[in-house]
Amino acid sequence: MSYVDEIIESVVAKNPSEPEFHQAVKEVLESLRPVVDANEEKFRREALLERLVEPERQLKFRVPWVDDKGQAHVNTGYRVQFNSAIGPYKGGLRLHPSVNLGIIKFLGFEQIFKNSLTGLPIGGGKGGSDFDPKGKSDREIMAFCQSFMTELYKYLGENTDVPAGDIGTGAREIGYLYGQYKRLTGRYEGVLTGKGLSYGGSLARTEATGYGLLYLTQEMLKLNGIDIAGKTAAVSGSGNVAIYAIEKAQQLGVKVLTCSDSNGWVYDPEGIDVAALKEIKEVKRARLTEYKNYRPNSEYHEGRGVWSVKVDLGLPCATQNELHLEDAKQLVENGCIAVAEGANMPTTLEATEYLQQHGVLFAPGKAANAGGVATSALEMSQNSERLSWTFEEVDAKLQGIMVNICHNMADAAERYGFAKNYVVGANIAGFEKVVDAMLAQGIV
Ligand code: NDP
Ligand code: 2IT
């Protein structure tokens, strides 16, 4: 059996109840075959793949908190410190009832290669909790965040592990987490990113993931001789990534026809109104059913459906496994030319294959959504030098990073004889730096 197959088999056997982690490992290792085959003897002797798929450390802890009525609750907290070969652990905290160890591990594993692709010195990690922020008061959110940090702070540090936002964790949560970290340690340091601008946050971090997604999509199309201006797009989700993806898409002349949340989706034939979306989601924290009040010509539908709309570009920005084989078929039938992942692993393996086989340009999340973590690393740099850069400075750096990632993934794919297969290209380009560092640092 090949080394890659052996490792995939052992990951499934060792972690039987973690399907999302299996999926992420399969996607990455399958595309590393050419590199692994060329170095099999050396990698085997150093147990390189065994070390790559085993987190350096995984923490699981109790998070007790009290609601506004005096009722106590207990959630489970996680932090997976996956790989520190090229820098301190870096990755977001997800707060969603679906969170379990396997989901945090898949996200942490992806993060290793994503962070490497940015070209910046950050290792891979991820964390979160099965806490559901929906419908909670600010005081309840604060109680949860303080309790979560009261355990997690022991394992963090500006040079050790630097968490950030993800689903359910935005500026409000980062503020409460930061306050508690500072209170417990007495240290004012860049231990979290996505901070508010008044206490060490970076301009353009809020926008970075969505903007970066569009910068990469624009460059990928350009490499294939296509101009992004004048195209139509379907976006899923209506959170941080989706909102700023829509905003940048419109600035580049793309008409975005859809967005969604976990209850339903919106079709707006005139193009999504970003100001309305921001007010509904960022200010009121309300549901998308409200959108019709702002835009009477739009439609609201219960359930799933954004991928049924005829568009040139598909931009999944909600969550994992939200774009299925049937959706891929529909997109192809409607003449879609490119799919770029704003979310982490939103496209199933079968759907990805189908899109690639039918000539749809496909940018995987670890490349396409790397602008968020890249700008987090820029926030860390600013914290270290105790300076703040202008929006234009950060945005220009972000743009440069996304263009670089696009070229690196395209070049790596071509180098190994898989031209235009950006899944293979991104995985290999991300892997090369991490492996080099792991080999140099010995068996640790
Ligand atoms: P938000 O919490 O701001 O928004 C998430 C959006 O996705 C909401 O519209 C939410 O709907 C929807 N959603 C979440 N879970 C589900 C689900 N199980 N089924 C259907 N819809 C769902 O998160 P972000 O925008 O920050 O994150 C979105 C994706 O992007 C995630 O995959 C995240 O890992 C990834 N990402 C985020 C980065 C960042 O900087 N924030 C960076 C890189 C990737 P509802 O409100 O109804 O729950
Ligand atoms: O998935 C991701 O890259 C993020 N949620 C952002 C991580 C970060 O550290 O900014």
Side-chain angles (χ1 to χ4, degrees):
M1 196 187 283
S2 79
Y3 188 25
V4 161
D5 290 323
E6 263 175 44
I7 297 298
I8 292 176
E9 203 166 273
S10 82
V11 163
V12 174
K14 245 180 129 170
N15 311 278
S17 54
E18 299 175 1
E20 293 86 359
F21 181 49
H22 305 165
Q23 185 181 338
V25 168
K26 273 184 202 155
E27 188 239 272
V28 171
L29 292 194
E30 288 289 357
S31 57
L32 295 180
R33 274 184 204 280
V35 189
V36 174
D37 289 350
N39 297 279
E40 177 157 350
E41 207 186 310
K42 183 182 181 135
F43 285 3
R44 273 190 189 269
R45 196 177 53 244
E46 305 235 352
L48 191 98
L49 295 185
E50 287 86 340
R51 287 190 286 139
L52 195 69
V53 298
E54 184 73 31
E56 288 176 19
R57 190 173 299 101
Q58 50 193 48
L59 311 161
K60 183 175 176 195
F61 49 95
R62 179 168 73 201
V63 188
W65 59 279
V66 179
D67 71 18
D68 288 345
K69 296 189 181 115
Q71 175 64 52
H73 299 266
V74 175
N75 287 102
T76 307
Y78 302 91
R79 185 75 182 165
V80 173
Q81 299 182 327
F82 222 119
N83 190 303
S84 62
I86 65 166
Y89 308 108
K90 185 83 197 83
L93 297 171
R94 178 174 292 191
L95 301 182
H96 193 273
S98 63
V99 163
N100 58 42
L101 183 61
I103 288 183
I104 299 301
K105 279 172 70 180
F106 115 64
L107 290 161
F109 187 69
E110 288 281 298
Q111 201 83 40
I112 301 169
F113 308 98
K114 181 196 307 194
N115 293 3
S116 167
L117 279 170
T118 66
L120 301 167
I122 39 179
K126 198 83 186 189
S129 174
D130 57 359
F131 174 74
D132 186 358
K134 277 204 196 88
K136 303 288 191 297
S137 69
D138 283 356
R139 202 211 61 83
E140 290 171 330
I141 298 284
M142 182 168 70
F144 171 83
C145 289
Q146 291 181 340
S147 180
F148 185 86
M149 187 53 91
T150 299
E151 182 58 27
L152 189 63
Y153 87 96
K154 301 166 192 167
Y155 310 98
L156 305 183
E158 63 180 338
N159 295 311
T160 312
D161 185 353
V162 183
D166 194 78
I167 290 178
T169 305
R172 174 181 58 172
E173 291 73 22
I174 294 292
Y176 293 144
L177 290 164
Y178 190 75
Q180 186 71 354
Y181 179 85
K182 185 163 59 69
R183 186 182 193 194
L184 289 165
T185 62
R187 294 170 68 90
Y188 206 106
E189 60 185 14
V191 76
L192 289 158
T193 58
K195 298 185 293 297
L197 298 178
S198 56
Y199 64 95
S202 173
L203 284 161
R205 175 61 188 91
T206 306
E207 295 84 354
T209 311
Y211 278 22
L213 172 66
L214 267 295
Y215 293 146
L216 184 126
T217 306
Q218 180 182 32
E219 191 65 19
M220 176 175 74
L221 292 176
K222 199 169 140 195
L223 281 181
N224 288 277
I226 304 166
D227 187 356
I228 197 168
K231 300 288 180 286
T232 54
V235 166
S236 65
S238 50
N240 173 264
V241 180
I243 289 173
Y244 293 94
I246 297 171
E247 183 167 282
K248 182 52 72 179
Q250 292 179 345
Q251 289 171 11
L252 297 177
V254 175
K255 189 176 191 181
V256 180
L257 296 171
T258 69
C259 63
S260 65
D261 61 20
S262 51
N263 297 113
W265 61 287
V266 162
Y267 172 71
D268 189 336
E270 291 153 22
I272 297 292
D273 179 342
V274 184
L277 196 60
K278 283 186 186 172
E279 189 169 313
I280 296 166
K281 288 293 172 184
E282 294 183 340
V283 181
K284 294 184 175 168
R285 296 180 187 277
R287 310 305 301 164
L288 274 182
T289 40
E290 294 237 342
Y291 186 84
K292 223 174 156 24
N293 302 335
Y294 296 78
R295 305 275 280 188
N297 290 339
S298 68
E299 299 168 14
Y300 177 81
H301 302 274
E302 290 287 332
R304 307 173 69 250
V306 297
W307 313 123
S308 64
V309 174
K310 181 174 166 45
V311 287
D312 302 310
L313 311 173
L315 303 172
C317 297
T319 191
Q320 67 272 3
N321 293 328
E322 50 152 323
L323 198 162
H324 308 152
L325 181 58
E326 289 313 308
D327 304 318
K329 289 183 177 167
Q330 184 100 59
L331 284 166
V332 168
E333 205 180 306
N334 287 338
C336 172
I337 55 172
V339 169
E341 297 186 319
N344 285 307
M345 209 168 76
T347 316
T348 64
L349 291 176
E350 305 77 57
T352 304
E353 264 169 39
Y354 188 88
L355 291 168
Q356 290 179 315
Q357 282 163 2
H358 289 79
V360 177
L361 301 170
F362 183 86
K366 64 173 71 66
N369 70 39
V373 76
T375 307
S376 278
L378 300 179
E379 182 172 330
M380 290 165 72
S381 300
Q382 293 169 79
N383 292 162
S384 298
E385 61 177 16
R386 305 202 191 289
L387 292 172
S388 306
W389 306 339
T390 63
F391 187 96
E392 290 70 26
E393 243 175 309
V394 179
D395 189 39
K397 284 191 163 69
L398 167 64
Q399 209 163 338
I401 290 167
M402 299 314 293
V403 167
N404 250 331
I405 292 176
C406 186
H407 289 222
N408 288 344
M409 75 180 185
D411 291 349
E414 206 158 309
R415 231 183 319 128
Y416 282 89
F418 291 87
K420 292 191 198 292
N421 185 333
Y422 303 128
V423 173
V424 168
N427 285 330
I428 292 181
F431 177 73
E432 283 177 333
K433 182 176 170 191
V434 174
V435 163
D436 193 64
M438 284 178 74
L439 292 173
Q441 291 169 21
I443 310 299
V444 292

